[in-house]
Amino acid sequence: LQSITIRRPDDWHVHFRQGEMLANMVPLTSRHFKRARVMPNTDPPILTGAQALIYHGEIMAVAPAGFETKMTIKVVPETTPAIVREAFGLGIDAGKLYPDGVTTLSANGVRDFKALSPVFAEMEKLGMVLCLHGEDPGEDVFCLDREERFLKTLQWILDKFQGLKVVMEHLSTAEAVYVVEHFPTKNLAATVTPHHLENTLNDVIDGGLRPHHYCKPIAKRPEDRDRLIRAVTRLGQTKFFLGTDSAPHYRESKECDCGAAGVFTAPLALPLLAQIFEENGALGQLEAFTSVNGANFYGLPLNEETITLVREPWTVPDEYSGVVPLRAGKEIRWQVASDLG
Ligand code: DOR
Ligand code: ZN
């Protein structure tokens, strides 16, 4: 097979940042993706609908015509039902919750989930989606166990708010995949990133420290990676969709004493996914993962435009505007046809 044409994909989890970084990043996503769900962990964070609209304006100012964003507000301990109601009224259809301190710009995040019950109840009533960074922030929790330990909190949320739509973001463990596949509800889905389908912890710390592979949740065991691949490539699966979690940090913020978490993948996410799906004999399932399941879960129309990927090797650049991408300097066998030189 030399080429494949699919519905134009969406990225349901991306970090654009602000200012100059934002201006450089938005075009790298809009090149391949029709829509993107933009994360609110900026500095300062996006906490209200009004702030989300201002941020949306900043993105649109540097975006090409035709690109669409779905904005999120950050759900923090201070979030109230009135704040989510107002945001929903302004067209913000999701809130992103970061447990306290588990990743980039998540300080003063959530520890007491029960205390947020009125907010979850309001989101449930409105039909506003709760996007979860699913890692337990407990100081006693070993870093590789944070996702698995979070599953009891997920279970509590799903049991207590049975009408609330929940997206578990960037899955990294076989245990979380199992829960998403088996929990008896239509209201639970999950995003999976290209880097969690590619890397294990070996790629982060074995045979040399690789700061550009360091992210949260941390890449885990080969069994976890393989379980993720099985989940996203399974014929007819509807619960897993692409959220790249493309998370740019300047080289200096990664290559230092206390490096930032985040893997930058926007320009190579689709080519790499085509390669991974092909290696697993599942190119036919790529479109469901990149372009169908997410829109269906969010209750949005499917994109009518298409994109063509061709089997034509290219080498990933060493840097994009000061940010080192996944697979920098390495070859990927597929590329998007419109990128062909
Ligand atoms: O590695 C990560 N980086 N994980 C996240 O959840 C946030 C992200 C970022 O904002 O850099
Ligand atoms: Zn993220």
Side-chain angles (χ1 to χ4, degrees):
L1 189 62
Q2 295 308 311
S3 80
I4 171 176
T5 297
I6 58 174
R7 279 182 198 277
R8 196 171 175 88
D10 301 310
D11 181 354
W12 295 112
H13 183 139
V14 71
H15 299 267
F16 283 151
R17 316 301 187 198
Q18 294 144 291
E20 193 187 327
M21 177 84 95
L22 173 86
N24 290 327
M25 289 304 142
V26 171
L28 294 174
T29 289
S30 63
R31 225 177 141 111
H32 296 166
F33 297 94
K34 174 72 179 173
R35 294 175 289 201
R37 180 168 298 288
V38 185
M39 291 298 122
N41 64 333
T42 46
D43 185 16
I46 308 300
L47 298 174
T48 66
Q51 289 165 353
L53 290 190
I54 293 171
Y55 189 33
H56 176 254
E58 291 168 11
I59 296 165
M60 285 301 121
V62 296
F67 182 62
E68 293 167 30
T69 61
K70 287 289 176 183
M71 305 305 292
T72 54
I73 58 166
K74 197 171 170 193
V75 176
V76 296
E78 295 74 28
T79 305
T80 62
I83 288 174
V84 298
R85 211 177 308 123
E86 189 202 44
F88 192 77
L90 293 171
I92 314 303
D93 62 347
K96 172 72 185 289
L97 187 155
Y98 294 91
D100 187 27
V102 293
T103 188
T104 303
L105 292 169
S106 63
N108 308 313
V110 176
R111 272 181 197 276
D112 186 351
F113 282 77
K114 296 203 166 74
L116 276 173
S117 290
V119 169
F120 297 150
E122 187 67 24
M123 292 175 78
E124 177 180 25
K125 200 171 95 192
L126 294 166
M128 189 167 175
V129 176
L130 177 65
C131 300
L132 288 172
H133 183 117
E135 290 196 285
D136 187 319
E139 271 138 40
D140 57 328
V141 180
F142 178 57
C143 63
L144 297 181
D145 293 338
R146 290 195 187 282
E147 185 173 280
E148 189 178 352
R149 288 281 287 273
F150 184 81
L151 295 173
K152 64 179 185 318
T153 303
L154 174 67
Q155 173 110 31
W156 177 83
I157 293 172
L158 294 171
D159 285 342
K160 185 125 198 289
F161 307 96
Q162 297 195 0
L164 179 64
K165 287 173 101 170
V166 174
V167 179
M168 273 287 279
E169 301 288 342
H170 41 54
L171 291 197
S172 69
T173 60
E175 289 79 8
V177 169
Y178 182 88
V179 167
V180 172
E181 283 181 341
H182 291 93
F183 202 89
T185 174
K186 279 191 165 49
N187 291 333
L188 175 63
T191 57
V192 178
T193 77
H195 48 285
H196 288 98
L197 296 172
E198 164 94 341
N199 285 344
T200 71
L201 187 55
N202 275 14
D203 299 295
V204 188
I205 56 172
D206 197 42
L209 179 62
R210 304 273 172 198
H212 301 290
H213 289 170
Y214 168 62
C215 68
K216 292 307 233 38
I218 299 166
K220 308 241 168 22
R221 306 182 62 87
E223 302 88 286
D224 294 301
R225 191 229 1 233
D226 296 347
R227 188 70 184 81
L228 286 162
I229 291 176
R230 282 213 305 285
V232 302
T233 57
R234 210 187 72 235
L235 184 62
Q237 73 85 6
T238 59
K239 292 190 169 246
F240 300 92
F241 49 85
L242 174 61
T244 64
D245 198 14
S246 181
H249 294 276
Y250 289 118
R251 183 191 282 275
E252 310 79 70
S253 316
K254 302 274 298 171
E255 299 175 4
C256 59
D257 181 41
C258 185
V263 175
F264 173 58
T265 55
L268 60 120
L270 277 184
L272 181 58
L273 286 169
Q275 178 166 310
I276 293 170
F277 274 66
E278 182 187 43
E279 279 163 5
N280 289 277
L283 265 181
Q285 275 79 264
L286 181 65
E287 181 180 50
F289 179 65
T290 61
S291 320
V292 176
N293 294 349
N296 282 344
F297 184 80
Y298 279 113
L300 297 167
L302 301 184
N303 296 327
E304 290 303 330
E305 297 160 41
T306 60
I307 199 168
T308 298
L309 285 136
V310 290
R311 211 172 187 292
E312 181 72 42
W314 63 297
T315 302
V316 178
D318 292 332
E319 235 181 68
Y320 289 86
S321 307
V323 179
V324 179
L326 182 65
R327 294 191 69 90
K330 297 214 175 97
E331 199 172 271
I332 297 181
R333 281 197 300 278
W334 287 81
Q335 58 184 303
V336 174
S338 55
D339 288 344
L340 276 173

